[in-house]
Amino acid sequence: MAGPEAHFRQLVRYAEVTGRDAWGTPLLGPIQVAAARIQPSRKLIRDSSGAEFVASFVVYTAAPLTLRHRLWFQGEDTTDFNHARRPAAVDEHVDGGGVVRYRKVWL
């Protein structure tokens, strides 16, 4: 039986925010590519600060994404930080052995 990765037929690009420069501009780590499933969503969730947020997308991926990452969908300009998508919440789905199988990233 195939795992959830068999359904990850799209690509997402992502980079971690590693800090800020002297002017406050975010500094990013290397941009990486991961297989994913990108699904439109209209779900009310709570972000990391507890504020309510209506998610526009949920991304399923095995990539090690956190709230510190920024994402770009296929065809989006990765050189423009202002077009990067910021996760509002990340849910890890763990199997019976305690291994993270995939993550749901709410955007």
Side-chain angles (χ1 to χ4, degrees):
M1 184 160 120
E5 298 85 11
H7 300 286
F8 300 162
R9 297 184 181 132
Q10 296 164 294
L11 294 177
V12 65
R13 287 173 173 68
Y14 65 96
E16 184 176 6
V17 175
T18 58
R20 296 196 178 269
D21 67 13
W23 296 273
T25 304
L27 301 172
L28 297 176
I31 294 176
Q32 301 180 55
V33 179
R37 177 176 170 216
I38 303 167
Q39 180 175 313
S41 175
R42 287 283 172 226
K43 183 172 180 174
L44 182 66
I45 63 168
R46 292 194 186 273
D47 65 14
S48 61
S49 65
E52 289 185 340
F53 174 83
V54 178
S56 298
F57 293 95
V58 61
V59 175
Y60 298 85
T61 184
L65 298 177
T66 67
L67 296 176
R68 294 184 49 85
H69 285 86
R70 299 299 179 264
L71 288 80
W72 296 267
F73 293 166
Q74 190 75 27
E76 294 180 338
D77 182 7
T78 58
T79 63
D80 187 350
F81 182 81
N82 294 323
H83 286 113
R85 298 170 192 268
R86 181 179 183 174
V90 178
D91 296 331
E92 293 183 333
H93 291 266
V94 180
D95 67 13
V99 176
V100 175
R101 296 291 306 220
Y102 66 95
R103 289 166 182 83
K104 286 173 65 175
V105 181
W106 300 94
L107 306 168

